[in-house]
Amino acid sequence: MKQARAELQHTLNLLLDEKQEDLRQFRELVLNETPDQRRQSGLTWYPLAIQSEDTGIGGKPVLTLERMARKGQNHRFQAGSVAAMFSLESKQEPLAGVVTRVKEDTLLLSVYQDEIPDWVYDEKIGLDLYFDERSYREMEFAMKAVLEAENNRLAELREICMGQKTPEFEQNGPVPNWENLNPSQASAVMQILTARDLALVHGPPGTGKTTTLMQAIRLTLKTEKQVLACAPSNAAADLLTEKLAEMGIEVVRLGHPARISDSLEAQLLDAKIKNHPSAKDLKQMQRQGREMREQALKFKRNFGREERENRKNLLSEVKELRKTVREMEKFIVEDVLNQARVLVTTLVGAASETLRDRRFSTVFIDEAAQGLEPACWIPIRKADRVVLAGDHCQLPPTIKSQKAAREGLEATLFEKCINRWPEAATMLQIQYRMHPKIMGFSSRWFYNNELQAHGSVQNAFLFAENESERNNAPLEFIDTAGCGYMDEQDTETLSQFNPEEGRALLRRLNLLLEQAPGGAEFRIGVITPYRAQVKFLLEELPKYEFLAAAQSLIDIQTVDSFQGQERDVIAISMVRSNEEGQIGFLSDTRRMNVAMTRAKRKLILVGDSATLGGNPFYQAFLEYCEEMDAYQSAWEWME
């Protein structure tokens, strides 16, 4: 027990380091600038006018704000941003909230407080992008609760996850032959159904992790009334919601509408509240409250005593009415949630007031290898058992403090559990995305050579031609060694780029499109670790005839943006080429695993073997390319 608590305390300390570094970077970006500098860089709107006030979920006010200067200028406010209203005339505590919609020079701000303070209406006001401490506060609170847990289920789960107590499973017979599940997927589902404490699903790229999780949730609901499903990001939580809804399962997506995909409107808590039988009565009371408040605000403090008394009485009535509104809304929310079979939210969203008093027999956490450990403990606190699904051989969580990452914050709860309790984990072994030659190296290096290509991708070539044709070869490594294509550093962003290597990649893709059989259409993803190279490639691409014509089918982004996605063709610009053998971001081989496994039918990499070969991972990859007859020199692609 002491050992578990010591490790958790260390993780909590690292989280506090991460918070301080995040705050430092935010201050460097925003707080150290003057108000005029912030306005110039789009971080501040000032002066500001309030166009209207409405009431949102939970009785929270929603303000429509309009900037009155620098109209039409670019800015950094977007739906989901945390922002705070301020006064230049007095040192009032900023009024923080979430931006729910932005249109030209107006935006909607859903504030955190129940009441709008008077200074907002009486003084010269502005709006700043704001540092969001709430996520850190919820993670810190969860970690302290786990540390302090005694003689309860949370304390037991803590000891299991920290390696101090063995997870238990019920006795089970042969694994059923479930329709649409391969043997390893079926084993993973059986592991989940029989787990009393903890089950782990290790899902390498293209192996159907989400499909497996959906079936496990469906079968769990045969014995449980409701489950909680979480993911680290809104995009991953949206995907869970979408898949559950497609299966006909009654699902409610919790979270701020500004951060949720528009396509999931029907599953949003807000939408279900609006369609509730009592919604009309609620709306009428909200309207009455707004009208009374507007009437009260017409009375100014410097009017007579009678006007001040009227203002006071009206605001008192508004307060009582809002109390009634909150009670009715609480009833509606509880009714909606009680009818749902699955509640979906982000990890931090599981700390919302909506879920405060709810417990679940099972919590499912998807993409658990991308979530910080403190964030994972937020939903685990509400559960009797936990299912973690992910792949620790792909992208880790984003951490801003190098010190915190180096000292252990990058190690996720999923990674710790799978190392401690391999018997509680099932690795999905059959992948449905990639040609075997694309899959082969990742299978060797990351997955103990246990990945198998499904029959549907065994002959997944780009064109219906012979595999020996170069354009149809699933794998190509174009070596720039000796070409003099040296990496450079952008003086403003300090990001790396390599113009000549970028042009070589674009020439190769342009020829691929030029020589494609008539009528062939395929999507291309261009991936590079460096934003400066992304910028260069985007600017350069229109200069190539066939690439320009197919621009709508081409995406150019960093590795992180492609996580969870796939393309027919993936082309990777490695960028680094220097005499010192410095490879920078490329040393994070998990990111390269993500990049290479986005390709379905063809993977092209352009890089300098002399620079890359000093790293064991890339040396092994170069040898694999030689073995697969996939190696060629960039001299063939020079102009």
Side-chain angles (χ1 to χ4, degrees):
M1 186 178 294
K2 287 184 179 179
Q3 184 177 337
R5 283 186 166 137
E7 181 180 329
L8 287 163
Q9 184 62 56
H10 177 65
T11 302
L12 175 57
N13 293 341
L14 295 179
L15 178 69
L16 298 177
D17 289 343
E18 171 69 1
K19 176 184 175 181
Q20 289 306 311
E21 176 60 18
D22 197 1
L23 180 58
R24 184 195 68 78
Q25 292 185 20
F26 175 81
R27 283 175 171 158
E28 194 173 274
L29 174 68
V30 179
L31 302 182
N32 291 340
E33 293 187 339
T34 66
D36 195 56
Q37 287 174 325
R38 293 200 302 269
R39 290 168 68 196
Q40 184 67 36
S41 55
L43 299 166
T44 294
W45 281 11
Y46 180 85
L48 200 66
I50 298 174
Q51 297 300 324
S52 63
E53 179 184 340
D54 205 340
T55 305
I57 296 300
K60 306 291 187 185
V62 178
L63 298 175
T64 301
L65 306 175
E66 181 182 2
R67 64 170 167 178
M68 306 308 292
R70 298 182 184 270
K71 292 198 172 189
Q73 177 185 299
N74 289 337
H75 59 81
R76 303 196 195 187
F77 292 94
Q78 57 185 343
S81 296
V82 177
M85 297 176 67
F86 63 87
S87 168
L88 278 187
E89 295 184 338
S90 60
K91 294 182 179 180
Q92 301 286 354
E93 184 72 22
L95 180 65
V98 177
V99 176
T100 62
R101 188 165 66 236
V102 180
K103 185 178 180 182
E104 296 176 353
D105 296 305
T106 63
L107 60 77
L108 267 62
L109 183 73
S110 176
V111 304
Y112 294 145
Q113 296 181 20
D114 291 336
E115 299 285 342
I116 302 292
D118 289 341
W119 64 263
V120 167
Y121 299 97
D122 297 340
E123 300 176 5
K124 292 181 180 179
I125 55 173
L127 187 73
D128 272 335
L129 273 181
Y130 206 56
F131 181 71
D132 185 9
E133 291 191 75
R134 304 183 89 195
S135 296
Y136 287 107
R137 187 167 66 244
E138 297 298 353
M139 287 190 282
E140 185 179 346
F141 184 79
M143 289 294 288
K144 288 179 178 177
V146 176
L147 278 163
E148 295 166 3
E150 289 279 4
N151 302 318
N152 58 17
R153 187 56 177 154
L154 180 58
E156 292 175 348
L157 290 176
R158 175 190 65 209
E159 299 306 303
I160 291 166
C161 291
M162 294 296 104
Q164 305 302 299
K165 183 179 177 182
T166 306
E168 296 181 358
F169 293 84
E170 297 173 4
Q171 291 279 50
N172 59 65
V175 176
N177 184 22
W178 281 301
E179 188 179 355
N180 300 325
L181 293 181
N182 65 46
S184 63
Q185 290 173 333
S187 294
V189 171
M190 178 59 80
Q191 186 97 325
I192 291 168
L193 296 178
T194 58
R196 292 177 178 170
D197 316 291
L198 172 71
L200 305 162
V201 180
H202 182 193
T207 54
K209 172 175 59 64
T210 302
T211 298
T212 304
L213 212 56
M214 292 301 102
Q215 291 301 322
I217 290 174
R218 182 181 67 81
L219 292 166
T220 299
L221 290 173
K222 290 189 174 183
T223 57
E224 297 179 18
K225 185 173 183 291
Q226 187 178 76
V227 301
L228 177 64
C230 301
S233 67
N234 280 292
D238 286 349
L239 180 61
L240 285 175
T241 307
E242 180 185 324
K243 297 299 183 184
L244 288 164
E246 286 175 359
M247 293 172 66
I249 295 173
E250 182 63 28
V251 55
V252 173
R253 172 70 163 95
L254 304 174
H256 206 291
R259 296 187 169 113
I260 298 171
S261 171
D262 292 341
S263 63
L264 299 176
E265 185 176 355
Q267 282 74 45
L268 289 180
L269 176 61
D270 296 49
K272 292 182 180 291
I273 289 173
K274 288 176 183 176
N275 293 327
H276 192 273
S278 300
K280 287 185 179 179
D281 295 334
L282 177 65
K283 197 172 184 67
Q284 184 176 348
M285 281 194 287
Q286 289 173 334
R287 187 185 303 113
Q288 184 181 351
R290 286 195 303 273
E291 291 172 353
M292 290 171 65
R293 181 174 178 81
E294 287 172 7
Q295 186 177 351
L297 292 175
K298 291 177 181 177
F299 297 109
K300 298 294 183 181
R301 289 194 184 93
N302 58 357
F303 281 13
R305 189 172 71 178
E306 184 178 345
E307 285 81 5
R308 286 198 300 272
E309 192 65 27
N310 285 338
R311 173 187 165 101
K312 181 180 177 182
N313 291 337
L314 280 169
L315 290 176
S316 178
E317 289 182 46
V318 169
K319 189 174 181 180
E320 287 300 313
L321 187 59
R322 280 188 170 169
K323 183 178 178 183
T324 305
V325 165
R326 281 194 294 270
E327 289 173 354
M328 177 175 281
E329 193 170 59
K330 184 178 179 181
F331 162 75
I332 294 174
V333 168
E334 286 298 308
D335 196 36
V336 168
L337 297 185
N338 288 338
Q339 293 178 46
R341 303 302 310 279
V342 185
L343 303 181
V344 179
T345 182
T346 60
L347 296 174
V348 175
S352 69
E353 190 174 341
T354 307
L355 295 177
R356 178 161 294 172
D357 299 321
R358 287 187 174 263
R359 282 199 60 82
F360 303 87
S361 295
T362 307
V363 59
F364 292 84
I365 300 180
D366 195 13
E367 304 296 355
Q370 291 183 51
L372 289 174
E373 178 182 339
C376 287
W377 283 112
I378 296 173
I380 292 174
R381 289 181 59 216
K382 299 179 175 296
D384 294 324
R385 67 184 193 123
V386 58
V387 177
L388 302 176
D391 181 12
H392 53 299
C393 301
Q394 295 189 63
L395 290 182
T398 299
I399 298 175
K400 296 186 177 180
S401 167
Q402 293 184 5
K403 174 179 177 290
R406 187 172 56 250
E407 294 184 7
L409 190 60
E410 194 174 75
T412 63
L413 188 63
F414 179 86
E415 186 175 0
K416 291 179 180 179
C417 287
I418 207 167
N419 290 333
R420 287 164 177 160
W421 306 117
E423 65 271 28
T426 304
M427 190 182 99
L428 307 181
Q429 295 178 327
I430 300 176
Q431 67 84 17
Y432 299 81
R433 175 184 297 161
M434 298 164 275
H435 186 281
K437 286 189 176 181
I438 299 173
M439 172 200 77
F441 180 71
S442 285
S443 181
R444 282 186 193 179
W445 188 269
F446 294 102
Y447 307 110
N448 199 31
N449 225 16
E450 293 179 7
L451 278 188
Q452 306 163 38
H454 186 260
S456 61
V457 295
Q458 286 286 348
N459 296 298
F461 301 113
L462 189 58
F463 309 125
E465 299 173 6
N466 189 291
E467 183 186 349
S468 63
E469 294 289 334
R470 183 160 64 176
N471 280 342
N472 217 26
L475 178 64
E476 292 182 34
F477 178 78
I478 301 173
D479 189 1
T480 66
C483 294
Y485 298 170
M486 309 304 286
D487 57 42
E488 304 174 28
Q489 188 175 62
D490 185 286
T491 54
E492 290 186 9
T493 65
L494 304 182
S495 179
Q496 299 288 329
F497 68 108
N498 191 322
E500 291 304 323
E501 179 187 287
R503 293 188 183 102
L505 180 145
L506 293 173
R507 286 195 296 272
R508 176 67 190 101
L509 288 176
N510 195 62
L511 184 64
L512 181 68
L513 288 170
E514 182 181 356
Q515 297 179 346
E521 191 173 88
F522 45 88
R523 295 194 66 187
I524 299 173
V526 180
I527 301 177
T528 178
Y530 294 95
R531 293 193 181 279
Q533 187 76 342
V534 170
K535 181 174 180 287
F536 174 81
L537 291 167
L538 286 169
E539 292 172 350
E540 196 77 4
L541 181 141
K543 299 176 183 178
Y544 296 80
E545 178 185 355
F546 294 94
L547 290 176
Q551 200 159 352
S552 63
L553 299 173
I554 302 172
D555 297 293
I556 303 177
Q557 275 292 357
T558 58
V559 182
D560 297 50
S561 302
F562 274 96
Q563 172 81 352
Q565 299 186 59
E566 58 187 34
R567 296 291 186 273
D568 299 303
V569 177
I570 288 290
I572 303 175
S573 173
M574 311 291 275
V575 177
R576 301 314 300 265
S577 177
N578 52 75
E579 294 178 356
E580 296 78 20
Q582 298 293 324
I583 63 171
F585 286 152
L586 297 180
S587 60
D588 186 348
T589 56
R590 288 177 295 182
R591 275 186 159 75
M592 192 50 56
N593 184 34
V594 171
M596 292 191 295
T597 55
R598 300 308 96 196
K600 295 168 65 177
R601 300 172 183 274
K602 189 173 185 68
L603 173 64
I604 302 170
L605 299 98
V606 184
D608 179 358
S609 65
T611 300
L612 300 173
N615 179 284
F617 173 85
Y618 293 104
Q619 182 57 42
F621 177 69
L622 291 168
E623 292 170 2
Y624 176 79
C625 289
E626 292 270 14
E627 182 185 331
M628 295 293 116
D629 194 26
Y631 176 90
Q632 53 191 279
S633 172
W635 287 97
E636 300 178 47
W637 305 101
M638 294 182 76
E639 290 180 324

